[in-house]
Amino acid sequence: KGGSDEELNLITLTIPEKTTEIKKNAFPNCVNIKAIEYASQTNVTKIQAGAFSGCINMTKNMVPDSVTQIDANAFKNCTSLVNFNMPKNLEVIGGGAFENCSSLKSIVIPENVEVINAAAFKGCTGATSITFAGNKVEKILDSAFSGCSNVTGLLDIPHGVKEIGALAYENCTGYTELQLPTTIVDPGKISPTAFEGCHFNKFYALMDSAAYKWLVQQGYISIMSPLMQGKNQKRNYLKKLLKVILLQY
């Protein structure tokens, strides 16, 4: 990197309107690509594995909403990618699809996605927000958001999630609070290392839920029966949440 677009011979490519798929490894390591645009009538539905991997100078790729599948490593190591449209109709996000896309500022998971595959957003260190448009996500797999260290505040695992894999949120050090859903029905479905390197000072889980039991098993909290009693308990149950304050902090 460095120098003007002319010096680097950076170009903008337009995907023709009859294109339905971006094939596997179509543009790997094409350092001369600055932007990808799509013809107005393009009906692309799939971006295959490694399609734009390593396009380190690509800053823009406004993927159309017709895309339902982004395969493994499709945008891996696109370190300059800032302007990106997450398709509203997207259903599949492959493993490592956006790994090390360190310039992405916002990550929005579309409402039809059911699985965040391994390392899908690992190393997206520039992201300051991660949001879920719906509640269909059931699995957040290994290292899915590992290293997303600039997202702050509450890590709210969406209702619907049933499994959280190893190192899923490893070193997401900006988060200070964790909320776990009741849709996790087995403490064993949350990896002991799911939040490795995180520094939470508050936790939210429904008392006696699998998530609550996991927090106790991992030593994040202690059973504090006085906190569960009285008006506060009733109010928290109405909200479907129990606020637990980590005493060690």
Side-chain angles (χ1 to χ4, degrees), residues 12 98 130-131 145 151 194 211 246:
T12 296
F98 298 94
I130 299 172
T131 56
F145 296 103
V151 188
L246 185 62

Side-chain angles (χ1 to χ4, degrees), residues 69-163:
Q69 184 169 329
I70 296 177
D71 287 342
N73 305 322
F75 292 92
K76 184 176 180 179
N77 295 329
C78 291
T79 53
S80 298
L81 186 60
V82 177
N83 298 307
F84 181 84
N85 175 60
M86 195 69 75
K88 293 180 180 179
N89 295 313
L90 190 65
E91 298 175 1
V92 177
I93 301 175
F98 298 94
E99 185 174 352
N100 296 328
C101 289
S102 54
S103 295
L104 284 179
K105 301 301 181 185
S106 176
I107 297 171
V108 179
I109 308 301
E111 62 180 350
N112 291 320
V113 173
E114 296 183 359
V115 179
I116 309 298
N117 278 296
F121 297 96
K122 181 179 180 180
C124 291
T125 54
T128 56
S129 70
I130 299 172
T131 56
F132 292 77
N135 291 319
K136 290 186 178 180
V137 173
E138 295 186 355
K139 297 180 180 181
I140 300 174
L141 298 184
D142 298 357
S143 300
F145 296 103
S146 177
C148 295
S149 55
N150 281 310
V151 188
T152 61
L154 173 65
L155 170 50
D156 184 2
I157 304 297
H159 188 80
V161 170
K162 299 177 181 178
E163 180 180 336

